[in-house]
Amino acid sequence: MKQLEIKNLTMAFGGITAIDGIDMAVEEGEIRGLIGPNGAGKTTFFNACSGRYPVTSGDITFRGHQISGLKPHEIARLGLVRTFQHVTLFKSFSVVKNVMAGNYLHAQHSYFGSLLRTRKTRRAEADSEQRAREILDFVGLGDIADKTASSLPHGHQKALGIAIALAAEPQLLLLDEPCAGMNNDESRQMINLVRRIRDTGVSVMLIEHDMKVVMGLCDKITVLNFGNIIAEGTPAEVREHPEVREAYLGSQANVT
């Protein structure tokens, strides 16, 4: 079943066309890789899908809903949630409070209820904290839930960013370079986490420059270059594509 459908998407900024009339579909339950050289249009594509940038032309449909023109929080409420390459945290908050903040889209209490500390508000906050701790257990941060976010190493901050996104209850999660800046052990942990997320029924689309991660993790890969799709297929098919080798992967030694 097609979960995300892109038809003739164009993103232009002044005289520069960053995305040039592309078509794409992401299937439910899929891990999709989006790769390409710097400036290929990958982040612009994520920004278009998540509502961060207005679409110049074309259609973006998510689970049957036209999302072109919607605001980011409206798109997130429908179940399409993204992370960013540089994790934004409330660094003075505890780890668990950061995840609770990510649950705001589904909060069941009002501003005045929070101000007056009504029984309903207290119960909702307790439920939110319980859910946040469950998510932290899932991503492997449960034992540091009460630590301050600023004290976390890079890999844990990345995992916390994903935990915050999961608190918004996504159906499709867009991950922007989840393994950037990680050592081999941290990358392996992130790969395992992404697989476990998919196994819960959440589809994943990721931008990633580490080709070992992309080739070992993704079911299907889309390759962008100068705002156009130059290849799409399984890791094996993309690995052997001559345009991909020339435009992005370089020598054969970099593709394995």
Side-chain angles (χ1 to χ4, degrees), residues 9-25:
L9 177 65
T10 297
M11 299 290 291
F13 305 91
I16 299 174
T17 300
I19 299 289
D20 191 10
I22 67 172
D23 297 321
M24 186 192 308

Side-chain angles (χ1 to χ4, degrees), residues 94 96-97 99-100 103 122-136 145-146:
S94 67
V96 68
K97 290 291 186 183
V99 181
M100 290 172 67
N103 192 38
R122 294 195 302 271
R123 184 169 61 247
E125 288 178 352
D127 291 344
S128 178
E129 181 173 351
Q130 180 180 350
R131 173 61 178 152
R133 290 185 182 275
E134 290 171 354
I135 292 171
L136 288 171
D146 297 304

Side-chain angles (χ1 to χ4, degrees), residues 109-239:
H109 52 275
S110 67
Y111 169 77
F112 288 107
S114 298
L115 190 64
L116 298 172
R117 302 295 299 157
T118 63
R119 180 182 299 177
K120 181 180 179 181
T121 297
R122 294 195 302 271
R123 184 169 61 247
E125 288 178 352
D127 291 344
S128 178
E129 181 173 351
Q130 180 180 350
R131 173 61 178 152
R133 290 185 182 275
E134 290 171 354
I135 292 171
L136 288 171
D137 286 338
F138 177 79
V139 303
L141 300 179
D143 57 346
I144 58 171
D146 297 304
K147 287 192 173 183
T148 304
S150 61
S151 69
L152 301 186
H154 177 71
H156 283 174
Q157 289 195 14
K158 283 279 197 175
L160 177 54
I162 291 178
I164 293 169
L166 292 176
E169 301 182 8
Q171 296 295 317
L172 172 60
L173 185 59
L174 305 181
L175 300 178
D176 194 346
E177 298 195 37
C179 295
M182 290 187 173
N183 60 38
N184 288 336
D185 287 340
E186 290 171 332
S187 291
R188 280 193 293 270
Q189 291 172 12
M190 182 60 69
I191 288 169
N192 290 334
L193 174 58
V194 172
R195 286 178 176 147
R196 288 191 289 114
I197 290 170
R198 190 269 302 276
D199 291 344
T200 68
V202 178
S203 308
V204 178
M205 188 173 191
L206 59 91
I207 295 170
E208 183 55 62
H209 286 288
D210 187 327
M211 285 299 97
K212 289 184 178 179
V213 171
V214 173
M215 294 296 173
L217 177 60
C218 298
D219 302 308
K220 193 172 182 179
I221 299 169
T222 300
V223 188
L224 287 179
N225 195 26
F226 296 112
N228 293 282
I229 295 175
I230 61 170
E232 192 168 73
T234 65
E237 290 168 341
V238 167
R239 183 185 292 117

